[in-house]
Amino acid sequence: MSEFPESDRRAALNGLPLRPELCGMEPYGAPQLDVPIMLNVNENTHSFPEDAHRAIVDAVDAAVKGLNRYPDREFTVLRSALADYLGHGLSADQIWAANGSNEVLQQILQAFGGPGRKLLSFPPTYSMYPLLARGTGTEYISGQRAEDFTLSAESAAAQVEQYQPDLVVLCSPNNPTGTALELEVIEAVYRAGEASRTVVIVDEAYAEFRQAGTPSALELLPGRDRLIVTRTMSKAFALAGARLGYLAAAPAMTDALRLVRLPYHLSALTQAAAVAALECSGSLLRNVEDIKVQRDRIVDGLKSLGLEPARSDSNFVFFRGVKDPHSLWQGLLDQGILVRDVGLPHSLRVTAGTAEETDAFLNALPSLLNQA
């Protein structure tokens, strides 16, 4: 617990010579509460497979012996492993990685954003986008979605033509709604950005949880030098604590990021853990298949209670139709279940966890909804 009262720390912060656009801002952060069932930040709650556990421990143990030396600045083995994992004919020189996909996005903004430049995105979406823009001195523009939070190719392209942004970020599957974009939306945005040379980022943090038949923007990379597809190992690979995000793009894009990255930005331990996890992708992705089963159980259970879950291509479910979201959030918390209040009217979001966690969530809802 801090020795300094919050009011004193706030006053001290306000007394510093902060950049004007940072004054009065709040840092990113979901509630970190110690409860039995945490379904609020879209972590992979399944047990780590034994083969992956052993492989990572062995790889990190070997890496520790060389910690007196700097790590491979180009993380060559990791880039090759990621290219093999993604497929689509990608090569290592089309891959970049950093400490979580947030750092990947930050580096993209450092290279292509900045003062006098603009980033367009389409709320409700990942809340880090405006924070990353602000942190790099990039103007953030909030685009518009339809009332049901969908985004059509025509609407997205028209907004790109209107604002002529330097960057567009499309979250697919979208957070917090969980829905994936059709490839025609991404193609339309890319075409609309030709005149302004707009860099188009497709954030596919939850790509491994897509419904069968939902395509990836990786299919669109050939011939599109301004297109970037970002991914993470936090979700499907259960490596949220290791912090490893990555992207696929034209080789020139990875060269651009070398201009802004910090020296030796990926530790030897991170590289070793990520490579070992990729070697055990089979067992780790079996957990993904179970998570998808739990997600679909949640969707069906919410529908049976008269709520309105969105189609989900992710490891979480966004649902509407809640009379009092905060009351329901608190009621679940009182029973040891933490979900996410995303700040949208009559809506909440819940991570798909284990079968037992899904049971607890669905069993708690009927009485809580009756009390509302």
Side-chain angles (χ1 to χ4, degrees), residues 190-203:
Y190 191 89
R191 286 194 302 271
E194 289 283 359
S196 51
R197 300 177 65 207
T198 301
V199 172
V200 179
I201 307 158
V202 184
D203 182 350

Side-chain angles (χ1 to χ4, degrees), residues 97-116:
N99 295 284
S101 56
N102 286 324
E103 186 176 68
V104 171
L105 293 167
Q106 182 182 58
Q107 290 176 344
I108 295 169
L109 282 165
Q110 287 173 321
F112 298 102

Side-chain angles (χ1 to χ4, degrees), residues 19 21 106-119 132-140 166-167:
R19 287 165 33 201
E21 65 269 26
Q106 182 182 58
Q107 290 176 344
I108 295 169
L109 282 165
Q110 287 173 321
F112 298 102
R117 296 195 170 195
K118 298 175 288 187
L119 168 69
L132 289 165
R134 192 172 292 111
T136 55
T138 307
E139 180 185 352
Y140 180 76
D166 298 278
L167 303 104

Side-chain angles (χ1 to χ4, degrees), residues 107-294:
Q107 290 176 344
I108 295 169
L109 282 165
Q110 287 173 321
F112 298 102
R117 296 195 170 195
K118 298 175 288 187
L119 168 69
L120 170 66
S121 195
F122 301 90
T125 191
Y126 185 35
S127 59
M128 273 302 297
Y129 299 151
L131 295 180
L132 289 165
R134 192 172 292 111
T136 55
T138 307
E139 180 185 352
Y140 180 76
I141 300 172
S142 294
Q144 301 295 315
R145 292 177 178 264
E147 262 189 50
D148 62 356
F149 302 141
T150 57
L151 183 65
S152 70
E154 295 77 14
S155 174
Q159 292 179 71
V160 171
E161 291 172 354
Q162 175 187 353
Y163 294 113
Q164 297 188 337
D166 298 278
L167 303 104
V168 174
V169 61
L170 302 167
C171 192
S172 179
N174 188 43
N175 181 6
T177 57
T179 50
L181 290 172
E182 296 180 356
L183 293 188
E184 67 176 22
V185 177
I186 300 165
E187 292 176 296
V189 166
Y190 191 89
R191 286 194 302 271
E194 289 283 359
S196 51
R197 300 177 65 207
T198 301
V199 172
V200 179
I201 307 158
V202 184
D203 182 350
E204 290 193 343
Y206 301 93
E208 285 88 352
F209 301 97
R210 302 190 310 274
Q211 300 271 359
T214 300
S216 165
L218 292 171
E219 297 180 18
L220 301 179
L221 283 175
R224 294 181 174 87
D225 290 347
R226 294 177 288 104
L227 180 62
I228 300 172
V229 180
T230 64
R231 293 281 187 98
T232 183
M233 294 186 74
S234 292
K235 311 300 181 182
F237 283 85
L239 289 181
R243 312 307 301 130
L244 196 291
Y246 60 102
L247 65 76
M253 280 290 181
T254 64
D255 288 340
L257 299 188
R258 286 181 174 87
L259 302 176
V260 299
R261 60 102 176 264
L262 294 174
Y264 310 104
H265 70 289
L266 273 182
S267 78
L269 302 183
T270 298
Q271 293 182 43
V275 170
L278 287 163
E279 290 172 351
C280 299
S281 61
S283 60
L284 285 163
L285 295 182
R286 279 195 289 275
N287 278 346
V288 168
E289 292 307 309
D290 185 63
I291 290 167
K292 290 161 72 172
V293 170
Q294 305 312 316

